[in-house]
């Protein structure tokens, strides 16, 4: 580790044990963004259940250990939420970022970089994404109280976006394909990248 960050490191940790704890937190946080790995998802679920279970709360571990466990798992879930935050915001925000992601995936398919046409399952896939990932995540964040009253807003937006997607999603996928076909050589502009 370079000397240029010595002062920052001194603010974050001062002992080898604190360094190990910080390193583990960073590793867990980065791994939390891998939502495709079923084993990691199961481990996270178990850690959440352990951290927020009344049964485990009565065990002989210290209050500091319990609070550290809760903080770690909440941070992991916050990182997950930040990865999909567009799904928990107003419909027009969700729709905008959903279209951008679709264009990226569909473009990769059309350019031969992936084998599967994402348009075939995009509509149903989004419903499953809401049902099995986004809404349960929003409920967990609501239950731990990390966002206070704003947690209700995130859960409500996620549920409303799911409902709107069920109603309008099939037509939107057709619209996305049409937009792509109007300009198949479309490259992301600096404005697209910044937005």
């Amino acid at each position: 580790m370079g000397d240029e960050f010595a002062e920052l490191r001194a603010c974050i940790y001062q002992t080898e044990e604190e360094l190990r704890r910080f390193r583990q937190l960073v590793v867990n946080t980065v791994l939390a963004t891998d939502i495709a790995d079923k084993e990691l998802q199961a481990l996270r679920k178990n850690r959440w259940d352990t951290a927020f279970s009344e049964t485990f709360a009565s065990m002989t571990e210290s209050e500091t250990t319990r609070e550290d466990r809760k903080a770690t798992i909440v941070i992991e879930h916050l990182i997950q939420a930040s990865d999909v935050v567009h799904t928990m915001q107003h419909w027009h925000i969700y729709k905008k970022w959903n279209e951008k992601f679709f264009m990226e995936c569909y473009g990769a398919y059309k350019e031969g970089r992936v084998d599967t046409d994402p348009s075939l399952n995009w509509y149903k896939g989004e419903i499953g994404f809401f049902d099995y990932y986004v809404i349960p995540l929003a409920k967990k964040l609501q239950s731990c109280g990390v966002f206070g009253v704003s947690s209700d807003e995130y859960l409500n937006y996620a549920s409303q976006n799911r409902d709107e997607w069920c109603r309008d999603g099939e037509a939107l996928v057709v619209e996305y394909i049409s937009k792509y076909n109007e300009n198949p050589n479309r490259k992301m502009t600096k404005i697209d990248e910044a937005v």
Side-chain angles (χ1 to χ4, degrees), residues 126-187:
E126 284 296 294
I127 295 170
F129 188 55
F130 276 110
D131 289 346
Y132 300 109
Y133 187 75
V134 173
I135 292 173
L137 176 60
K139 286 179 178 177
K140 282 182 178 179
L141 292 173
Q142 181 186 44
S143 74
C144 74
V146 70
F147 290 122
V149 295
S150 295
S151 298
D152 293 338
E153 184 177 317
Y154 300 133
L155 179 56
N156 288 339
Y157 274 133
S159 298
Q160 290 169 9
N161 287 341
R162 184 215 184 269
D163 293 344
E164 290 200 50
W165 182 259
C166 287
R167 189 185 63 235
D168 300 337
E170 288 177 303
L172 284 171
V173 173
V174 171
E175 181 182 316
Y176 296 167
I177 294 168
S178 177
K179 281 184 182 180
Y180 181 89
N181 289 332
E182 287 172 12
N183 189 5
N185 297 320
R186 178 181 187 271
K187 298 291 181 193

Side-chain angles (χ1 to χ4, degrees), residues 4 9 16 19-20 23-24 37 58 62 69 83 95 98 121 124 127-128 157 162 178 183 185 193:
E4 66 269 22
R9 286 194 303 275
E16 285 297 315
L19 167 60
R20 277 194 305 277
R23 183 187 181 285
Q24 188 62 50
D37 188 314
S58 63
S62 72
R69 179 183 296 117
D83 218 20
K95 195 170 80 163
N98 182 268
N121 196 39
K124 287 182 181 176
I127 295 170
Y157 274 133
R162 184 215 184 269
S178 177
N183 189 5
N185 297 320
E193 292 170 0

Side-chain angles (χ1 to χ4, degrees), residues 88-153:
M88 299 179 206
Q89 294 179 333
H90 192 275
W91 170 249
H92 74 275
I93 301 291
Y94 165 71
K95 195 170 80 163
K96 171 184 172 179
W97 289 103
N98 182 268
E99 179 180 345
K100 286 181 180 295
F101 187 46
F102 176 86
M103 292 297 186
E104 180 182 336
C105 294
Y106 194 68
Y109 166 71
K110 288 301 217 176
E111 293 167 11
R113 292 183 282 128
V114 295
D115 295 331
T116 306
D117 180 350
S119 68
L120 300 178
N121 196 39
W122 199 265
Y123 172 74
K124 287 182 181 176
E126 284 296 294
I127 295 170
F129 188 55
F130 276 110
D131 289 346
Y132 300 109
Y133 187 75
V134 173
I135 292 173
L137 176 60
K139 286 179 178 177
K140 282 182 178 179
L141 292 173
Q142 181 186 44
S143 74
C144 74
V146 70
F147 290 122
V149 295
S150 295
S151 298
D152 293 338
E153 184 177 317

